[in-house]
DNA sequence: GACGCTCTCATTTTT
DNA sequence: TGAGAGCGTC
């Protein structure tokens, strides 16, 4: 048999991993070492060489994007038989199991998946109902508590033993009530998907055995991101017989704040004693310099599994460090560099600006607009998270499962139809007493005429509306169901009345939803109706942030969302103590190490050229703040860095207190603070403005570029104000 | 029920 | 600084 097409384009280590004997495998795959390739080729190897049926394969990822990509690449290698294997995220696989075994999992057939926002609303409502002081107990906290309990595999009854303080007591109470409501309404949140799926196997060994026999080979991507529950789930599935291959990089674990446990990588070796460990250390992405710097940085972390990336590619340019005067100057500098990059004939989409927190994007955007650089920001509201979309989906949810109280509450008065808070409160109270869904309660209340006439008529109009919608769409194909609901619910009309750009965008989104329904093809009929499948799809796969723009754009995103991507030109902006590493992380145990890993992730995104930027002072929370440059910069080998030291060079010769100086170029024109000014005769400089002692000065600064550095050659005090 | 005022708060985010 | 939530008023 010819196996060259599988092995030829792999290096020794990759080949070793791909063609390893049928045992448990732990692949430590450094950044840019061909991790996905190894996974895909291993699957191909199993199918073509080891003659494993795709039916016996399970591949697990964390994001839908990764799952899709893997599926496509496998299909390219082995053809359509790839469709026989299960590939998906932990959540989508768990969901699939629960649909198949809803009875054993104690769920209703039409159970709905709710996203984090739905969950938040539900919790908030519960807390209000319970009359909890919102200043003292925040819904966010409660949400975090509930999810982290579930992520540890704990139910309220498990946590009940550990109540020692008021906080836990209150949280537990909310947790309990939350569970009751979800169970009653047939709602399943993200953590619940995993926990239920776990319990399904734990409590029904026969079902577990069935899947154990089926999935003889399990492959897990980004294993360093698994939480306790996901790992337990995998262990349960693997049992003694199945073989697991995990691929991960402990140095790129940046989600511990979300429950991910790097420890799972250590545990794996203990829990699966015959595990073979293979390290992929050859990096195909970055230059030698970037890699050397990244390696040095991450070596400051303790408790690593240990691995050192190397590359056969060239040294490349040094890493440029730019000390900006302030955030505006930083943004301007980045925009300038990007402009130059573009003028050299490169594409904008090849550069990424990475930052620690979303708030940083604003100044960058301003600078890009000014410089006329098109950009794209990742993050923000995703398609299925938009209010108008969620409203429509809530109608559909309620129709497909009438017990869905969360959906009921969302739309009972959206668009407004005269059902006020009082009516809703009354319904809630009644529902609580009778242990019924809001829908059933509302039916009863209208029947028994328990409300004032006006409220009663509004309520029964609403009930009729839902019933009519349900009848009308029963036999329609999915896209028409969606369209019908959008119009007949009054939502379309409602958003039509919203003025301005916003309203138009919303209508467009609603139309887009119909299109999405048209294009929606459920992978398999796991759900009992296409509508249910579509609703789940919407919850599990919240969609892209923006419709794909094909124009050439600079890419702005947080460091977290840059994971898994690569760019020829990368800027890390805001390399300041307190911002990166973030203040809040410094207060947590092991917080600093995770920040360092985040920096490592950021640096290793860069292929050719990397810039590290920090601002001497920055506007934050409405105040100007000065921070030292990030310790991460000082942890890098100086030989890898080239500083662009404008600020230091200026401040030294200035006899004025730098905090009270205003720099402007020669002509007395209007310039913005932070603006970079070039003057034919006097060179170039940056305008800063600091309030301090009260004294202000107007200065002219001349610069000269010497090698890769900017040096101040002379300055003149033009005028003292 | 819409609008506007005030208050608070401010990492990272997939599913 | 500025977004979002809550609250009071018309």
């Amino acid at each position: 048999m010819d196996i060259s097409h599988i092995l030829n384009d792999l290096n020794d280590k990759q080949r070793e991993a791909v063609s390893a004997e049928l045992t448990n495998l732990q692949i430590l795959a450094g950044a840019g070492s061909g991790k996905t390739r190894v996974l895909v080729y291993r699957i191909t190897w199993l199918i073509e060489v080891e003659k494993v049926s795709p039916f016996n394969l399970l591949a697990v990822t964390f994001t839908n994007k990764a799952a899709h990509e893997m599926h496509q690449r496998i299909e390219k290698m082995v053809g359509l038989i790839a469709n026989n294997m299960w590939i998906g995220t932990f959540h989508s696989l768990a969901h699939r199991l629960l649909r198949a075994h809803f009875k054993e999992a104690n769920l209703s057939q039409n159970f709905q998946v709710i996203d984090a926002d739905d969950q938040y609303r539900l919790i908030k409502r519960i807390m209000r109902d319970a009359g909890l002081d919102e200043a003292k107990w925040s819904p966010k906290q409660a949400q975090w508590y509930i999810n982290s309990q579930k992520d540890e595999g704990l139910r309220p009854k498990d946590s009940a033993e550990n109540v020692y303080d008021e906080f836990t007591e209150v949280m537990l109470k909310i947790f309990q009530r939350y569970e009751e409501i979800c169970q009653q309404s047939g709602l399943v949140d993200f953590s619940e998907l995993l926990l239920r799926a776990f319990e399904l196997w734990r409590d029904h060994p026969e079902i577990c055995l069935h899947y154990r026999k089926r999935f003889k080979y399990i492959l897990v991507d980004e294993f360093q991101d698994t939480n306790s529950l996901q790992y337990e789930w995998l262990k349960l599935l693997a049992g003694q017989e199945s073989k697991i291959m995990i691929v991960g990089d402990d140095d790129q674990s940046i989600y511990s704040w979300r429950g991910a446990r790097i420890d799972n990588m250590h545990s794996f070796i203990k829990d699966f004693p015959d595990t073979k460990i293979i390290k992929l250390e050859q990096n195909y992405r970055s230059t030698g310099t970037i890699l050397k710097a990244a390696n040095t940085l991450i070596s400051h972390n303790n408790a690593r599994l240990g691995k050192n990336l190397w590359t056969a590619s060239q040294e490349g340019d040094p890493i440029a460090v730019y000390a900006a005067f302030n955030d505006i100057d930083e943004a301007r500098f980045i925009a300038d560099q990007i402009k130059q990059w573009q003028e050299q004939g490169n594409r904008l989409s090849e550069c990424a600006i990475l930052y620690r927190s979303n708030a940083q994007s604003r100044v960058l955007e301003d600078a890009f607009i000014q410089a006329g650089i098109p950009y794209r920001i990742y993050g923000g509201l995703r398609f299925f998270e938009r209010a108008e979309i969620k409203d429509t989906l809530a109608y559909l949810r309620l129709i497909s499962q009438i017990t869905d109280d969360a959906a009921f509450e969302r739309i009972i008065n959206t668009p407004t139809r005269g059902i006020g808070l009082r009516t809703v409160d009354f319904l809630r109270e009644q529902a609580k007493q009778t242990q019924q869904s809001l829908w059933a309660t509302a039916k009863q209340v209208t029947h028994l005429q328990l409300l004032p006439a006006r409220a009663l008529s509004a309520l029964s109009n609403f009930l009729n509306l839902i019933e009519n919608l349900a009848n009308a769409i029963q036999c329609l194909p999915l896209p028409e169901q969606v369209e019908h609901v959008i119009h007949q619910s009054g939502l379309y009309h409602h958003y039509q009345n919203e003025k301005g750009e916003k309203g138009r965008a919303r209508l467009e989104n609603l139309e887009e939803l119909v299109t999405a329904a048209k294009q929606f093809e459920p992978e398999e009929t796991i759900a009992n109706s296409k509508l249910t499948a579509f609703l789940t799809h919407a919850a599990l796969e919240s969609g892209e942030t923006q419709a794909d723009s094909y124009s050439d754009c600079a890419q702005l995103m947080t460091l977290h969302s840059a994971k898994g991507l690569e760019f020829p030109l990368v800027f890390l902006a805001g390399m300041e103590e307190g911002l990166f590493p973030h203040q809040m992380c410094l207060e947590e145990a092991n917080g600093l190490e995770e920040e360092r890993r985040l920096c490592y992730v950021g640096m290793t995104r860069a292929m050719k050229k990397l810039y590290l930027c920090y601002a001497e002072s920055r506007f934050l929370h409405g105040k100007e703040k000065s921070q030292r440059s990030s310790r991460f910069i000082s942890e890098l080998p100086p030989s890898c860095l080239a500083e662009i030291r404008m600020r230091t060079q200026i401040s030294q010769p200035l006899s004025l207190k730098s905090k009270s100086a205003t720099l402007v170029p020669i002509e007395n024109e209007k310039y913005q603070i932070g603006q970079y000014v070039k003057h034919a005769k006097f060179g170039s400089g940056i305008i800063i403005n600091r309030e301090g002692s009260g004294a202000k000065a107007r200065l002219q600064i001349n610069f000269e570029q010497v090698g890769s550095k900017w040096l101040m050659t002379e300055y003149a005090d033009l005028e003292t104000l």
Side-chain angles (χ1 to χ4, degrees):
Chain A
M1 161 166 206
D2 181 23
I3 52 172
S4 58
H5 70 291
I6 307 180
L7 297 182
N8 270 1
D9 38 2
L10 299 175
N11 68 32
D12 286 352
K13 283 290 171 187
Q14 291 174 332
R15 202 172 294 146
E16 191 185 339
V18 166
S19 62
E21 63 268 39
L22 300 178
T23 175
N24 294 311
L25 289 169
Q26 180 176 71
I27 313 296
L28 290 175
S33 65
K35 164 178 75 86
T36 315
R37 163 175 287 203
V38 165
L39 265 171
V40 169
Y41 280 52
R42 173 66 174 178
I43 290 167
T44 309
W45 176 271
L46 290 173
I47 293 172
E48 294 191 350
V49 180
E50 300 288 354
K51 302 294 174 208
V52 174
S53 161
F55 184 78
N56 297 123
L57 292 173
L58 174 73
V60 193
T61 63
F62 272 85
T63 65
N64 293 301
K65 201 171 142 203
H68 292 148
E69 191 185 321
M70 197 187 297
H71 185 99
Q72 278 175 353
R73 286 174 71 168
I74 293 170
E75 198 175 287
K76 223 170 166 181
M77 297 288 289
V78 302
L80 286 173
I81 52 165
N83 291 334
N84 292 327
M85 69 177 281
W86 276 28
I87 305 175
T89 62
F90 277 101
H91 293 86
S92 73
L93 296 169
H95 168 253
R96 197 164 167 171
L97 286 169
L98 295 178
R99 285 276 175 225
H101 305 282
F102 66 90
K103 274 201 189 113
E104 293 88 344
N106 188 25
L107 287 167
S108 66
Q109 189 171 15
N110 272 339
F111 73 85
Q112 305 282 341
V113 180
I114 57 169
D115 67 12
D117 180 61
D118 297 326
Q119 184 187 40
Y120 177 79
R121 285 158 177 269
L122 200 51
I123 290 169
K124 202 154 98 173
R125 203 201 88 198
I126 289 169
M127 293 177 69
R128 283 212 168 159
D129 270 2
L132 290 166
D133 181 2
E134 278 192 52
K136 199 169 168 194
W137 316 101
S138 83
K140 274 264 162 286
Q141 256 182 329
Q143 187 177 26
W144 181 84
Y145 176 84
I146 291 173
N147 288 334
S148 53
Q149 291 301 108
K150 291 205 212 179
D151 285 345
E152 292 293 319
L154 300 171
R155 293 288 182 191
K157 62 175 161 42
D158 305 314
S159 321
E161 296 153 17
N162 300 317
V163 179
Y164 302 113
D165 50 15
E166 198 193 359
F167 173 79
T168 325
E169 196 186 317
V170 172
M171 290 299 134
L172 195 60
K173 229 171 81 187
I174 302 168
F175 189 11
Q176 262 161 352
R177 182 75 189 125
Y178 173 76
E179 269 217 326
E180 276 168 33
I181 291 185
C182 286
Q183 182 63 34
Q184 216 175 49
S185 322
L187 300 176
V188 175
D189 63 42
F190 291 140
S191 318
E192 185 73 25
L193 282 169
L194 301 175
L195 183 50
R196 283 262 174 163
F198 169 77
E199 290 170 342
L200 173 73
W201 282 346
R202 187 195 61 194
D203 302 338
H204 299 269
E206 72 288 355
I207 297 178
C208 185
L209 196 64
H210 167 82
Y211 287 100
R212 236 181 232 179
K213 279 187 179 156
R214 169 163 180 182
F215 297 121
K216 299 198 174 83
Y217 299 93
I218 304 161
L219 302 100
V220 189
D221 192 14
E222 305 272 19
F223 186 80
Q224 76 280 355
D225 287 338
T226 49
N227 63 30
S228 306
L229 185 55
Q230 286 159 337
Y231 184 43
E232 290 306 316
W233 186 80
L234 284 171
K235 281 204 284 191
L236 207 50
L237 175 61
Q240 298 295 313
E241 306 85 35
S242 303
K243 299 299 173 202
I244 302 195
M245 169 174 175
I246 62 164
V247 180
D249 180 1
D250 54 326
D251 291 332
Q252 290 189 71
S253 163
I254 53 174
Y255 285 111
S256 74
W257 51 276
R258 213 162 67 182
R261 288 183 30 168
I262 322 185
D263 277 358
N264 288 345
M265 294 205 69
H266 302 100
S267 313
F268 188 83
I269 310 166
K270 287 180 218 132
D271 294 331
F272 299 87
D274 60 338
T275 295
K276 180 172 178 174
I277 303 171
I278 296 171
K279 293 182 184 181
L280 303 180
E281 296 175 298
Q282 183 175 3
N283 171 292
Y284 293 95
R285 181 184 294 153
S286 312
T287 63
T289 304
I290 292 170
L291 220 52
K292 184 180 168 197
N295 278 337
T296 310
L297 177 86
I298 202 66
S299 69
H300 286 85
N301 274 2
N302 300 311
R304 296 175 59 216
L305 289 172
K307 134 179 90 33
N308 224 10
L309 285 180
W310 62 277
T311 179
S313 55
Q314 296 191 326
E315 285 278 289
D317 289 347
I319 296 167
V321 178
Y322 181 69
F325 293 107
N326 55 23
D327 41 355
I328 299 170
D329 176 35
E330 178 187 53
R332 187 232 86 239
F333 172 78
I334 293 172
D336 264 11
Q337 300 308 116
I338 290 178
K339 263 259 136 90
Q340 282 180 27
W341 164 266
Q342 194 184 19
E343 279 158 16
Q344 289 159 16
N346 298 298
R347 292 168 55 81
L348 288 176
S349 56
E350 291 177 336
C351 28
I353 303 90
L354 311 181
Y355 37 81
R356 177 66 238 261
S357 75
N358 284 310
Q360 289 171 255
S361 72
R362 184 191 233 101
V363 194
L364 291 163
E365 278 186 84
D366 285 349
F368 284 5
I369 291 168
Q370 235 178 38
I373 301 170
Y375 60 89
R376 183 190 162 169
I377 296 195
Y378 287 73
L381 264 196
R382 295 154 146 258
F383 181 73
F384 286 110
E385 289 167 1
R386 291 167 197 278
E388 61 277 19
I389 302 299
K390 295 209 76 174
D391 289 342
T392 311
L393 295 176
Y395 276 94
L396 291 164
R397 263 168 53 183
L398 185 61
I399 290 167
S400 85
Q401 173 163 276
I402 208 71
T403 54
D404 187 338
D405 284 357
F408 184 97
E409 281 214 46
R410 184 176 181 108
I411 54 165
I412 184 166
N413 203 30
T414 314
T416 47
R417 48 173 70 88
I419 302 176
L421 258 182
R422 200 157 298 158
T423 307
V424 179
D425 275 342
F426 179 74
L427 287 177
R428 250 189 241 139
E429 193 48 46
Q430 289 285 309
K432 202 171 164 184
Q433 279 175 19
T434 56
Q435 294 274 311
Q436 278 182 317
S437 68
L438 288 170
W439 175 267
T441 311
K443 288 293 272 184
Q444 209 170 30
V445 165
T446 42
H447 183 68
L448 299 174
Q449 308 209 325
L450 299 176
L451 282 165
R454 205 161 123 185
L456 212 55
S457 102
L459 185 59
S460 70
N461 282 344
F462 172 68
L463 298 178
N464 288 336
L465 171 70
I466 297 298
E467 278 172 348
N468 290 339
L469 281 175
N471 284 330
I473 70 169
Q474 214 168 26
C475 301
L476 293 177
L478 177 65
E480 285 164 44
Q481 291 184 315
V482 176
E483 196 165 12
H484 189 88
V485 165
I486 289 174
H487 288 277
Q488 301 310 312
S489 63
L491 280 174
Y492 195 87
H493 184 72
H494 173 72
Y495 285 119
Q496 228 168 7
N497 289 340
E498 194 172 340
K499 288 169 246 44
E501 186 64 24
K502 230 176 180 174
R504 229 193 47 211
R506 289 192 198 275
L507 293 184
E508 270 170 28
N509 285 332
L510 288 176
E511 274 149 30
E512 189 58 35
L513 184 64
V514 179
T515 312
K518 274 184 196 148
Q519 288 165 351
F520 176 67
E521 275 308 321
E523 287 174 22
E524 243 176 83
T525 7
I526 356 175
N528 67 331
S529 80
K530 208 169 167 185
L531 176 58
T532 311
F534 183 64
L535 291 171
T536 306
H537 167 81
L540 282 181
E541 207 161 328
S542 37
E544 283 289 312
T545 311
Q546 325 172 340
D548 260 323
S549 53
Y550 291 97
S551 59
D552 193 31
C553 292
Q555 315 283 306
L556 275 75
M557 66 190 87
T558 63
L559 286 151
H560 281 90
S561 39
K563 194 168 127 198
L565 305 175
E566 59 178 28
F567 304 90
L569 174 63
V570 170
F571 297 85
L572 301 194
M575 299 286 293
E576 294 133 44
E577 283 294 301
L579 185 60
F580 189 35
H582 199 280
Q583 193 57 45
M584 284 181 160
C585 291
L586 297 173
E587 287 151 20
E588 286 165 27
N590 301 321
L592 181 61
E593 295 219 343
E594 180 146 321
E595 293 287 284
R596 195 176 279 116
R597 289 194 293 269
L598 191 56
C599 187
Y600 175 77
V601 167
M603 290 176 71
T604 53
R605 299 309 97 196
M607 300 161 83
K608 287 190 196 150
K609 180 82 191 163
L610 175 63
Y611 284 88
L612 306 177
C613 308
Y614 65 93
E616 242 274 302
S617 94
R618 173 182 300 277
F619 239 78
L620 215 62
H621 306 327
K623 269 187 235 129
E624 192 164 10
K625 279 190 180 158
S626 303
Q627 291 294 163
R628 285 182 299 118
S629 66
S630 170
R631 71 188 74 191
F632 297 148
I633 294 181
S634 54
E635 286 171 2
L636 303 175
S639 64
C640 294
L641 307 178
E643 292 189 54
I644 308 173
R645 277 184 187 280
M646 294 195 137
R647 202 246 145 208
T648 328
Q649 297 296 330
I650 299 164
S651 63
Q652 290 312 316
L654 277 180
S655 54
L656 282 155
K657 286 175 208 150
S658 66
K659 294 246 165 185
S660 59
T662 304
L663 298 187
V664 301
I666 180 94
E667 274 93 6
N668 196 12
E669 293 172 28
K670 286 267 173 195
Y671 292 101
Q672 274 188 297
I673 297 165
Q675 191 177 348
Y676 182 65
V677 201
K678 287 182 187 156
H679 191 281
K681 193 173 161 197
F682 298 102
S684 43
I686 286 160
I687 302 169
I688 62 171
N689 182 6
R690 298 271 175 62
E691 298 290 335
S693 60
K696 286 185 178 178
R698 191 167 280 176
L699 303 167
Q700 178 206 326
I701 304 287
N702 296 330
F703 292 96
E704 203 170 84
Q705 197 170 13
V706 182
S708 63
K709 292 182 181 179
W710 283 91
L711 296 176
M712 197 199 73
T713 50
E714 56 178 292
Y715 76 94
D717 194 343
L718 294 179
E719 195 184 342
T720 306
L721 300 176

